[in-house]
Amino acid sequence: MEDLFETLRNMKSRRGNVKICPGCGDSSLQASTVFDGVILPTRFLCKKCGYSGYIVLEAQEDSGRRL
Ligand SMILES: [Zn+2]
């Protein structure tokens, strides 16, 4: 059980992740509803191109690694 806790903690403590729209590449995505991330996977909305969905690209802001 300790391993599981450790894994969850590591997931939660990951910082600097940027969500990127797969449609237009913009990073101003918005999580859509209150329940997202609790029961359902988070759905994202792109204000720029109108993309709405669960699949987004992710990049780490602080590591300097690019997609
Ligand atoms: Zn977009």
Side-chain angles (χ1 to χ4, degrees), residues 12-61:
K12 290 218 166 173
S13 67
R14 279 203 325 182
R15 280 175 192 279
N17 276 16
V18 193
K19 306 280 192 289
I20 297 170
C21 174
C24 68
D26 200 79
S27 60
S28 59
L29 290 173
Q30 214 176 37
S32 61
T33 81
V34 182
F35 296 106
D36 281 350
V38 182
I39 302 165
L40 302 164
T42 308
R43 191 168 66 154
F44 293 99
L45 266 170
C46 177
K47 281 181 276 184
K48 208 169 181 180
C49 72
Y51 170 83
S52 163
Y54 297 100
I55 297 162
V56 292
L57 303 173
E58 246 183 59
Q60 286 195 338
E61 204 167 30

